[in-house]
Structures are given as structure tokens and as C-alpha cells.
Amino acid sequence: MHLEPRRAPLRGGRHCIIRQTSREDAAAQLDLERAIVRARHGIVKHEDELPADAAAYAEQRDRAGLTATDGSAICLAAELEGGGLVGEATLLRLKLRMVRHVGILGLGVHPMAQGLGVGRALLSRLLEWARAHRDADGGRVLRVELCVRADNARAIALYRSVGFAHEGTRRGFVRGDDGAFVDDLVMGLSLAPADEGPSLRR
Ligand SMILES: CC(C)(COP(=O)(O)OP(=O)(O)OC[C@H]1O[C@@H](n2cnc3c(N)ncnc32)[C@H](O)[C@@H]1OP(=O)(O)O)[C@@H](O)C(=O)NCCC(=O)NCCS
């Protein structure tokens, strides 16, 4: 599975390249995740819960199925032109046949590059891939879902703007840095044509 790199415009006249990640990106991906975790916004992880080095990071992603090349996962990176990796979006499809049409979305942008349009560019490209992808047997992604902290207004606004709906709330799911519990929202987006939508089959 190969996805052509694409140039995407950002705010302020800058551009980024959206491309698929490879194993060689592991060190930059770990640096990116570390920077996002250190900023302490929108995350559910502590820095000491990250893999120790790039090799361990790559291994963890292999184990999670994120590096699969059979269409069961896709990982996109955003690179600033003339700069490094500033964002990543992942879609990991569930394995069992009865839920294989479901993809779990992950998204993160470097704190220094947030608010420029990188997150939107990554999300748009990922959803474009999800809508177009067909497995060898015709299988496809019909539902994308994600979880987002209820105090993450920027992410929630972004997801809503591309059609995600708030489907449920996991009360007190996250313990914030101050010890207080924070709700977590489950959001979902149907990619099925209206006449094939899961809601018709309930
Ligand atoms: C959430 C995140 C991915 C968004 O990426 P980004 O590159 O910063 O966002 P963009 O610049 O593409 O902005 C996307 C939208 O966010 C919304 N937005 C931006 N800033 C906002 C703010 N301060 N408050 C509320 N909404 C805001 C707008 O709707 C914006 O849409 P627009 O393009 O019409 O202006 C990024 O901020 C991030 O990685 N945060 C930390 C980790 C995280 O929260 N990941 C998601 C976990 S579910």
C-alpha cells in the first residue's frame, strides 16, 4: 500500500508535506510524542510511560499493528517544508472480521506547530484514505472512532468540524495532573453511504 506524499497549505503562507511514515521515522516520532506529552495538554500519558528509545518505540508500534502494510493500519506524518516532523495521524483497524470496518484514530501535533492547520491537514488526508481504501476482498472502513479528553476544546472542535459526533462519555476516565478526574468523550464518524449506514441495521 503506497500513498503519494502531498503538499498542504498552512496558516501564514507555510506548507507541510503529508506522507506515510516508515521505520526510519521512529526516532522523530518518539521525539514528537515526547514533546506532546511534555506539553501536558490533551494527553493521557506521562513521559516515563514512553518507550526508552527509538528501537523500543518501533517495536511497540509493530506490536500494536501500526506498521502493517496490508491496509489494516495507516500512519501519516506531517513535515514542515525545510523542517522536521511536526505531526502524526494514525488509523488502526480492528482485527476481528465482525468489527474490521472500524478504525481507531490517533492524532498529535508538536506544541510549537499547533494552530497552523497541521492537525486539520493530517485528519483530512487520513479520512480521504479511509474513504477510498478497499481491501482485496472489498472490505473497507465504514466507521472511524476516537476518544478525546472533555477538556480538549481544540481537538473536539476539529473533530466536530469534519463530522464526528459525540456518542458517549466515559465519566472520570482520566486522572489529570492535579489529581482531579476528567471525562473522556467517545466520538464517531460514519463513512458509510446513507443507504448502508449501520443505523439502518440496528
Ligand atoms: C488537537 C490537535 C491535534 C489539533 O491540531 P492543530 O494543528 O493544533 O489544529 P489546527 O491548526 O489544524 O486547527 C484545527 C481546528 O481546531 C480548532 N481550534 C484551533 N485552535 C483552537 C482553540 N484554541 N480552541 C478551540 N478550537 C480551536 C479550530 O476549529 C480549527 O479549525 P480551523 O482550521 O477552522 O481554524 C493538536 O492541537 C494537538 O496535537 N494537541 C495535543 C494532543 C492532542 O490533543 N491530540 C488529540 C487527542 S484526541
Side-chain angles (χ1 to χ4, degrees):
M1 189 191 54
H2 178 69
L3 194 93
E4 283 302 315
R6 194 181 291 170
R7 195 166 178 254
L10 302 176
R11 273 174 215 113
R14 302 176 76 176
H15 288 81
C16 68
I17 304 292
I18 307 285
R19 60 162 176 84
Q20 254 177 295
T21 60
S22 72
R23 240 190 137 70
E24 285 72 60
D25 291 312
Q29 286 169 313
L30 177 57
D31 285 348
L32 170 66
E33 196 169 338
R34 201 175 276 133
I36 294 170
V37 166
R38 277 186 186 152
R40 308 305 304 146
H41 184 75
I43 42 86
V44 292
K45 228 179 244 178
H46 288 285
E47 199 178 337
D48 62 2
E49 291 165 334
L50 289 170
D53 54 34
Y57 188 80
E59 230 169 79
Q60 188 186 74
R61 290 176 71 102
D62 284 345
R63 272 199 311 275
L66 281 166
T67 50
T69 54
D70 60 355
S72 59
I74 179 122
C75 300
L76 301 181
E79 253 173 355
L80 277 190
E81 277 184 345
L85 198 145
V86 291
E88 190 180 30
T90 58
L91 190 76
L92 181 63
R93 293 171 64 189
L94 299 181
K95 301 277 173 287
L96 299 175
R97 288 203 302 283
M98 291 171 79
V99 287
R100 208 173 53 179
H101 59 284
V102 179
I104 310 293
L105 180 98
L107 182 65
V109 175
H110 194 289
M112 301 295 286
Q114 289 176 9
L116 296 176
V118 174
R120 183 177 291 285
L122 279 165
L123 184 58
S124 305
R125 187 73 179 106
L126 192 85
L127 293 178
E128 188 185 328
W129 175 87
R131 286 191 167 94
H133 176 76
R134 296 292 180 273
D135 298 325
D137 64 359
R140 52 201 267 216
V141 182
L142 292 171
R143 172 183 164 81
V144 178
E145 64 176 48
L146 59 90
C147 294
V148 56
R149 286 175 56 144
D151 58 2
N152 193 351
R154 175 177 287 183
I156 293 168
L158 172 60
Y159 298 139
R160 275 194 197 287
S161 74
V162 296
F164 279 86
H166 174 201
E167 296 181 336
T169 300
R170 305 195 287 187
R171 300 261 171 235
F173 184 75
V174 187
R175 190 191 279 272
D177 290 347
D178 60 359
F181 289 97
V182 181
D183 291 349
D184 200 49
L185 311 187
V186 178
M187 299 187 81
L189 172 70
S190 172
L191 302 185
D195 57 349
E196 282 182 31
S199 58
L200 294 179
R201 296 196 191 133
R202 252 180 220 138

